[in-house]
Amino acid sequence: PSDGTEYLLSIEDASAVRHTGEFVCKMLSDAVELIGPQKVCGVISDDAANMRKGRKDFVNSLDGRYSHVFPLR
């Protein structure tokens, strides 16, 4: 059960990296694998085009493995 505590997973300097949909998808995938997919129920981001693409690619990459993970905005 959750006690409502929020956690910061990591901080990375990505200022030199293009924030493409592919980059966003990889970051989401890495984070879910690190946390453990059983502990993730949704992915939230803003509605910039690269974020929409990253969320879409991430969900498509799951191939039904984590049907409980939903893209939210």
Side-chain angles (χ1 to χ4, degrees):
S2 173
D3 62 3
T5 303
E6 297 177 13
Y7 298 93
L8 175 63
L9 176 63
S10 69
I11 296 176
E12 295 183 36
D13 181 2
S15 60
V17 180
R18 290 190 63 222
H19 297 128
T20 63
E22 183 178 296
F23 172 78
V24 172
C25 178
K26 172 121 176 55
M27 295 297 287
L28 291 172
S29 297
D30 291 350
V32 168
E33 289 302 318
L34 181 64
I35 295 168
Q38 70 281 5
K39 296 179 183 175
V40 177
C41 62
V43 175
I44 300 171
S45 71
D46 64 18
D47 200 33
N50 60 331
M51 298 303 282
R52 286 193 311 266
K53 173 92 169 89
R55 282 192 320 261
K56 179 180 175 187
D57 290 351
F58 170 70
V59 170
N60 289 340
S61 75
L62 298 178
D63 292 326
R65 289 179 291 158
Y66 313 128
S67 59
H68 65 282
V69 177
F70 296 97
L72 309 168
R73 80 172 163 101

